[in-house]
Every structure is written in C-alpha cells, then in structure tokens.
C-alpha cells in the first residue's frame, strides 16, 4: 500500500519536483519547471514508425537536456549557475505591502575555451565567474560531473559541455594518431574529412544507379547529413573503407 507523508507526497512517487522538495534539493525549482522530454526513441531507415510520430528532417545535434527550465527562461541563453528571479514584499509604515522583484547579477563576458580554442561571448552571473576562476577555466567548469553542476548549466551550457567533451575526445585520439579527422558515433576513427567522404559516396552511388546520379541530386540528398551518417552510407553502399577508417 502506498502511503503519504507529512506534506501529502506519495512515498513511491518518481516525480522529480516532489523528490527534489522532499530531499531538500537546492535547485528544486529547476526540476519543477523543467521542460519535459517526452520521447527519446531514435528511428533508423527501415524501422516501423508509429502513427502520429513526427520525425525531424535532421537528427539532433546535441543530446536531450532534462533540466531546461521553463521559469526565467533567459537562464537557458547564458551561464547563470542556477541564479533565478526572486520575489519579496516591501512593507511601508502604513502596512501597505508591494511586490518586489530581485534579478540576479548578470554581466556580458567573453570567456576563453582552451579546448575549443575560441572565445565564447555570453551572459554570465558573478557566481559563475567566481566558480570558473576557482575551477581553473571554463572547460573545467563545464565538464565537471557533479549533479548540481549539470542541473545549473542551462541549455547553452549543456551544448558547450558537449562540444568541449567531443573536442577533448578528438584531441586525445589525435595525440595517438595525428591523421584522425573526427570520431564517428560508433567510435570509429575516421582519417578523412567530410568532403572526401561525400566524394567517395557520390561515385559509389553513381556506379550503382541505373539512371545516372547527378551531382546536384546527390548534394540535395546527402550534403546536409552529419559525418557519421555519411560513413554509415558508405558502409551500406559497400565502399572500401581501408584508407578511411583506422
């Protein structure tokens, strides 16, 4: 039997907001107002697609972020570190109470990423600036695995974290083999760039086509797909990958 506690919350509830409030989570409001991720199913060619399921034209460039808050949405466009808008009341001598809003201390800053080797211009809270200095740089701040850090990154911080981790993985692979251009989704080390792969795929498909594949038709169907998908198309077409994949 499922009982209820002192505040009327079900013990067996798996709601993130209720569990956060029960466990005194500091960032319970982020969990409570988080944008829901309904479906994480990834379909491939040949799979049976259920009805009323919308398939995007292009695959998502970044993994789903489960803490994209819908309250004070501007924090998703910068590095706020969990800082949100707060409200209070001012009381006059006559006893009149008025609502007051407290906004976080936000500044426009340019931060340097040593892994990406570029400057990142964004809005940053003073709390995040102090934390970046304490952690030893922006990359260390973004890649820390502490649960509270992941919750307070925001949508922009989550994307930067993904880019930094992918760049670090590529640099570690290039340290062992300098000819590596990128790492595919399946972990394969690719020695050629996307332009070379598209050129090989074009001639491979044109030899297998009965009507003759033109360059314009090929670019329309394949030029926009990611590098990992181009590599998968080459494997499906039976191309020789001995000088492409390490």
């Amino acid at each position: 039997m499922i009982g209820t506690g002192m505040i009327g919350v079900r013990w067996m509830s798996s709601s993130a907001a209720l569990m956060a409030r029960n466990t005194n989570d500091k960032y319970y409001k982020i969990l409570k107002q988080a944008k829901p991720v309904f479906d994480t199913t990834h379909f491939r060619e040949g799979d049976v697609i259920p009805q009323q399921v919308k398939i995007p034209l292009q695959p998502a460039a970044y993994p789903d972020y489960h803490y994209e808050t819908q309250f004070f949405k501007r924090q998703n466009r910068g590095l706020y570190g969990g800082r949100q808008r707060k409200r209070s009341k001012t009381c006059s001598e006559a006893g009149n109470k008025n609502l007051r809003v407290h906004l976080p201390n936000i500044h426009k800053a340019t931060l340097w990423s040593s892994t990406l080797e570029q400057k990142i211009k964004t809005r940053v809270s003073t709390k995040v600036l102090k934390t970046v200095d304490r952690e030893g740089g922006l990359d260390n701040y973004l890649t820390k695995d502490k649960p509270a850090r992941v919750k307070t990154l925001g949508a922009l911080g989550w994307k930067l974290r993904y880019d930094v981790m992918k760049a670090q993985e590529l640099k570690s692979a290039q340290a062992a083999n300098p000819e590596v251009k990128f790492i595919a989704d399946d972990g394969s080390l690719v020695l050629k760039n996307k332009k070379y792969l598209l050129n090989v795929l074009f001639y491979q498909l044109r030899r297998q086509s009965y009507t003759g594949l033109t360059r314009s038709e090929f670019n329309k169907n394949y030029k926009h797909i990611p590098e990992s998908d181009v590599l998968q198309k080459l494997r499906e077409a039976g191309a020789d990958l001995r000088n492409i994949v390490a």
Side-chain angles (χ1 to χ4, degrees):
M1 179 177 179
I2 300 178
T4 57
M6 295 295 294
I7 58 176
V9 179
R10 302 177 67 192
W11 294 341
M12 301 298 293
S13 175
S14 60
S15 173
L18 297 180
M19 292 179 65
R21 187 177 288 272
N22 271 346
T23 56
N24 297 324
D25 196 313
K26 183 179 180 181
Y27 305 104
Y28 73 92
K29 187 177 290 186
I30 294 179
L31 301 177
K32 181 180 179 181
Q33 303 290 342
K35 182 178 180 180
V37 179
F38 295 103
D39 190 5
T40 58
T41 306
H42 299 281
F43 297 97
R44 296 184 177 273
E45 292 186 4
D47 295 345
V48 179
I49 302 176
Q51 295 182 355
Q52 299 180 353
V53 174
K54 295 182 180 180
I55 304 298
L57 296 179
Q58 298 182 7
Y62 298 94
D64 295 327
Y65 183 54
H66 295 267
Y67 303 103
E68 183 178 352
T69 179
Q70 298 297 291
F71 173 79
F72 198 59
K73 294 184 180 180
R74 68 182 70 176
Q75 62 183 318
N76 293 321
R77 302 188 295 269
L79 300 176
Y80 281 46
R83 288 290 189 262
Q84 296 183 345
R85 182 186 63 192
K86 297 181 180 180
R87 294 185 300 177
S88 64
K89 290 183 179 180
T90 59
C91 185
S92 64
E93 295 181 358
N96 299 324
K97 295 182 179 180
N98 298 316
L99 284 176
R100 180 186 174 187
V101 176
H102 302 268
L103 296 178
N105 191 4
I106 305 299
H107 299 273
K108 292 182 179 180
T110 302
L111 305 177
W112 172 257
S113 174
S114 58
T115 303
L116 301 178
E117 297 181 355
Q118 66 180 14
K119 297 179 181 179
I120 298 175
K121 296 182 179 180
T122 181
R123 296 179 181 270
V124 187
S125 65
T126 53
K127 174 191 175 183
V128 172
L129 288 176
K130 295 177 183 178
T131 308
V132 168
D133 292 338
R134 185 175 68 250
E135 296 288 349
L138 178 63
D139 299 338
N140 295 336
Y141 170 80
L142 294 172
T143 56
K144 191 171 183 178
D145 293 333
K146 190 176 180 180
R149 181 64 51 80
V150 177
K151 294 177 184 177
T152 57
L153 279 177
L156 177 63
W158 179 256
K159 295 178 181 179
L160 292 175
R161 173 188 172 93
Y162 181 79
D163 293 338
V164 169
M165 295 181 69
K166 293 290 289 185
Q168 290 177 350
E169 184 182 6
L170 179 60
K171 285 188 175 182
S172 61
Q174 289 177 343
N177 188 356
E179 296 182 359
V180 176
K181 299 300 181 182
F182 67 92
I183 302 176
D185 293 340
D186 58 355
S188 302
L189 303 180
V190 184
L191 307 179
K192 303 296 182 180
N193 54 18
K194 182 180 178 180
K195 183 178 180 180
Y196 182 89
L197 298 181
L198 287 173
N199 194 33
V200 174
L201 180 61
F202 169 70
Y203 289 109
Q204 186 72 17
L205 295 179
R206 193 171 69 172
R207 285 195 296 267
Q208 299 176 0
S209 176
Y210 293 100
T211 59
L213 181 65
T214 62
R215 178 67 72 170
S216 60
E217 294 176 354
F218 174 81
N219 291 336
K220 182 179 179 181
N221 297 327
Y222 297 98
K223 192 174 182 179
H224 64 278
I225 64 178
E227 295 90 342
S228 299
D229 292 348
V230 177
L231 184 63
Q232 182 64 25
K233 295 291 184 182
L234 286 172
R235 288 173 176 162
E236 295 175 358
D240 187 9
L241 303 179
R242 287 178 294 180
N243 62 335
I244 296 178
V245 179

